Amino acid sequence: MTPVELSRTVLHAVRRAVDDGELSVTVPERAVVTPPGPGGCGDYATNIALQLARAAEQPPRRVAEILRGRLLDDHRITDVVVTGAGFLNLSLESAASAALVDEIRRRGRRYGHAARPSGNSVELRCPAEVRAVVAADAVARLLRSQGDSVRVRYDGRPAPEWESVLGVDLRDGVDLRDGVDLSEVDSEGTDTDSADVTIRPVPVPVPLLVPVPAPTNPLPLGRDAARWALLHPAAHDRPRIPGDHLSQRETNPLFRVRYAHARTRALLRNAAGLRFDPEPGPVSGTEELVALLGDHPRILTAAATHHTPDRLARHLVTVADATSPLLPAVLPLGEEKPSAAHRARLALAEAAGTVLAGGLSLLGIDAPDHL
């Protein structure tokens, strides 16, 4: 069961409670499910009971108990625990993680992307300052991943090396200062889908993107490290340049993300040498990683909606850190023969690497198979 399917299941439970007369509320359009917070348990948690309590004129824990029984009717949910003020903590059967891994392997790097155009037409505006331009480029990639049509308008003319060195896509840009349409500039393009949606776009108002400027020129770091240095901090934080973004050690978050991805690819190569393939299945002790992978589509949507590529960057670091403990147990040791457990762990590692590569791609950063 994916987070999207779980959200629908929660809404179905609300609808049944309303139909049975136990709740008198309007069924919301969506139910947010996330990894459990402090004090929570299970695979996912939702605050739907707190959301409905006021309209239902009942305490949140009472609403949660009403929904708990209906959620347990779904055979894919093994347990539901009410914690705190009324949070519902849901545990899923082991096959649910296999279904999630299978979906990620099927969708590839486009896991979490919108299945169809949204019909929204977004015009981003930013000053011609290197961090603002790189941030606008990353936000445009995120918005396009969610099906939006995007164009970027600059208050001034971006430097050509921001495209040639940092990989900023200037094809859709317009210089507001002198009216130059930068879409006429030749470019090698990017590895993200930049085709605009042409079916009745709905204009979406967007505030000016003005992050704290880069303190020094980031170009000496090169494309990947420079983009990470500019995108990983929140917009209101001052980026560290040069920082340790080129160091290959665990204190460097970018290295941890790329190293975790490269290790998953090495495991796939080694498994092929041992003549066994990944096969989704239950993997014990990986609940945190599975929850993070399941939360990836929500992170992409939130990062696109709120224009916060830093949210995606931090999520990738968390995924990488949760992936690392899995990797030593993926391959059989010594004379051990590959088992179903090895195949399931390999499939989960492959899915984690796919999410890391897809997320880095949306930030405009390469995910090499070898480090």
Side-chain angles (χ1 to χ4, degrees), residues 147-171:
D148 294 346
S149 168
V150 186
R151 192 168 199 186
V152 183
R153 298 175 72 89
Y154 307 102
D155 186 8
R157 189 175 183 85
E161 57 266 30
W162 297 351
E163 178 174 34
S164 60
V165 177
L166 300 182
V168 173
D169 188 355
L170 299 179
R171 288 175 297 173

Side-chain angles (χ1 to χ4, degrees), residues 23-367:
L23 290 178
S24 179
V25 296
T26 300
V27 180
E29 294 184 359
R30 61 191 295 262
V32 176
V33 293
T34 62
C41 58
D43 299 309
Y44 293 96
T46 178
N47 66 348
I48 189 70
L50 285 78
Q51 179 183 340
L52 298 176
R54 181 184 293 272
E57 298 182 345
Q58 297 192 51
R61 288 189 66 91
R62 171 56 185 159
V63 176
E65 290 294 345
I66 291 173
L67 298 178
R68 178 178 180 274
R70 287 166 173 79
L71 289 168
L72 286 172
D73 289 340
D74 192 308
H75 67 88
R76 297 169 296 179
I77 298 175
T78 58
D79 194 17
V80 180
V81 178
V82 180
T83 61
F87 291 94
L88 286 159
N89 297 260
L90 305 100
S91 298
L92 307 182
E93 65 175 0
S94 58
S97 63
L100 174 63
V101 169
D102 187 64
E103 180 187 3
I104 295 173
R105 297 180 70 224
R106 178 173 52 83
R107 296 289 306 277
R109 292 192 181 193
R110 295 186 66 82
Y111 167 64
H113 291 215
R116 59 186 62 85
S118 67
N120 294 332
S121 177
V122 180
E123 183 176 271
L124 300 173
R125 290 186 55 192
C126 71
E129 183 274 328
V130 62
R131 189 185 185 197
V133 170
V134 170
D137 180 73
V139 171
R141 294 165 183 259
L142 285 164
L143 288 167
R144 288 174 180 136
S145 79
Q146 302 306 299
D148 294 346
S149 168
V150 186
R151 192 168 199 186
V152 183
R153 298 175 72 89
Y154 307 102
D155 186 8
R157 189 175 183 85
E161 57 266 30
W162 297 351
E163 178 174 34
S164 60
V165 177
L166 300 182
V168 173
D169 188 355
L170 299 179
R171 288 175 297 173
D172 293 328
V174 173
D175 182 350
L176 296 177
R177 182 186 58 195
D178 55 18
V180 177
D181 188 344
L182 300 178
S183 63
E184 299 177 358
V185 179
D186 289 335
S187 138
E188 296 179 357
T190 66
D191 59 0
T192 189
D193 185 4
S194 60
D196 281 354
V197 179
T198 58
I199 55 167
R200 298 181 181 177
V202 178
V204 177
V206 175
L208 188 68
L209 298 178
V210 190
V212 173
T216 58
N217 181 14
L219 269 67
L221 292 174
R223 171 176 170 167
D224 294 333
R227 290 185 70 103
W228 182 268
L230 298 173
L231 297 174
H232 180 251
H236 58 269
D237 290 333
R238 183 182 178 89
R240 293 185 302 108
I241 297 173
D244 63 348
H245 305 295
L246 293 175
S247 65
Q248 295 199 25
R249 53 175 179 258
E250 291 186 356
T251 55
N252 177 5
L254 174 58
F255 172 71
R256 297 210 304 274
V257 173
R258 299 174 89 189
Y259 183 57
H261 166 265
R263 287 185 68 191
T264 65
R265 270 43 203 167
L267 289 171
L268 287 167
R269 294 192 298 270
N270 293 336
L274 295 174
R275 298 184 179 180
F276 80 95
D277 298 319
E279 184 176 325
V283 181
S284 61
T286 59
E287 292 79 10
E288 179 186 4
L289 175 58
V290 171
L292 288 168
L293 298 181
D295 202 35
H296 185 67
R298 185 189 67 83
I299 294 292
L300 293 187
T301 300
T305 301
H306 301 291
H307 308 147
T308 51
D310 57 288
R311 184 178 301 196
L312 172 58
R314 291 192 299 273
H315 172 67
L316 296 179
V317 176
T318 306
V319 171
D321 291 345
T323 301
S324 295
L326 163 73
L327 304 182
V330 169
L331 297 180
L333 300 176
E335 298 300 319
E336 187 181 12
K337 299 296 184 182
S339 65
H342 291 112
R343 293 183 176 86
R345 288 193 287 265
L346 180 63
L348 180 56
E350 180 188 22
T354 298
V355 166
L356 293 173
L360 286 173
S361 176
L362 288 174
L363 296 177
I365 298 172
D366 185 36

